[in-house]
Amino acid sequence: MKLWNKLSAKPLGTRLFSLGVSLKAPYFGTVLPHVVEMRPGKAVVKAPKWWGIQNHIGTFHAIAACNLAEMAMGMVAEATVPTTHRWLPKGMTTEYLKITSGGLTATAELDEIPDFSAITSGVEVPVPVTFSDGEGKESVRATITIWVTPKK
């Protein structure tokens, strides 16, 4: 979060941040992500349509969308979970609502931020992720459950 705050205010800073995340977790790089918003409780990540993520019918591949969902979830988790705790993805459910047109924008937004001081053992936190396609229509919906525990 500290790095986001430092870079996002600079020209091309959000692009540099996104590249850094992709270098740290290379599988995210396959969707060419661009983090455009990151704050406690919310993260927005965009990915263009390009040949590397297309399926056999020329649209955004379902698993590439899952990759984008996981990045958006990871950014909201990093922005929200305090340094006294840690998080790990535990599961994902995904609904493919319509064929996509163009790139995708994934928005991970918590319904409410948990009271982390009350988390003294493991707890599941669902992170909803919604997607809009190039036409601004909802095309995919996911929920990624993260396991949050206090650091030892």
Side-chain angles (χ1 to χ4, degrees), residues 37-150:
E37 183 179 347
M38 184 174 161
R39 62 180 166 80
K42 185 175 182 182
V44 179
V45 184
K46 294 183 174 206
K49 179 181 171 189
W50 70 287
W51 68 268
I53 54 82
Q54 288 185 51
N55 59 21
H56 65 288
I57 58 173
T59 63
F60 213 100
H61 192 280
I63 299 306
C66 288
N67 223 3
L68 182 60
E70 190 172 0
M71 179 155 182
M73 172 281 301
M75 296 301 93
V76 79
E78 283 296 313
T80 307
V81 176
T83 58
T84 56
H85 289 69
R86 64 183 184 161
W87 62 272
L88 292 168
K90 190 173 181 182
M92 176 190 288
T93 59
T94 310
E95 296 175 80
Y96 305 102
L97 306 172
K98 70 180 254 346
I99 292 176
T100 60
S101 171
L104 288 177
T105 299
T107 302
E109 190 165 16
L110 295 170
D111 295 329
E112 66 179 68
I113 296 177
D115 176 6
F116 290 99
S117 65
I119 299 174
T120 58
S121 63
V123 65
E124 291 184 352
V125 176
V127 180
V129 183
T130 57
F131 293 79
S132 58
D133 67 9
E135 297 173 341
K137 295 180 179 167
E138 186 178 23
S139 55
V140 182
R141 188 180 309 138
T143 300
I144 302 175
T145 302
I146 60 174
W147 183 247
V148 178
T149 59

